[in-house]
Amino acid sequence: MEEITSLIRDLSVEEREEIFIDIARMLEGTAREALVEGNTHFAAISNDMAEAIRINADELARDDPENAELVLQQATAMISQFEAVHPYRMVSMAVH
């Protein structure tokens, strides 16, 4: 993910917007996993960040590449933090 943030300036607006949407999806996935595991605080923060990125993806992709790069760095840091604490991802979130 680090290579994504360093190349953001070289991408077109549409490609940047796609990356923001993908990052928002990843944040929503980590929020779901955190919620299932009982970490409601992390789930809320991750979900809120995903929603903010999704709502503002167009503006982030078009306006200032430096700010877009900062947002991507923060989002990837959240995902990396979750992956560091939970190295073994859930296979299923089914409840029996």
Side-chain angles (χ1 to χ4, degrees), residues 23 41 50 56 92:
I23 290 291
H41 181 68
N56 296 306
S92 173

Side-chain angles (χ1 to χ4, degrees), residues 56-73:
N56 296 306
D58 183 47
E59 293 174 16
L60 286 168
R62 293 186 190 283
D63 291 343
D64 189 12
E66 290 178 13
N67 287 334
E69 192 172 315
L70 288 174
V71 169
L72 280 177
Q73 286 174 353

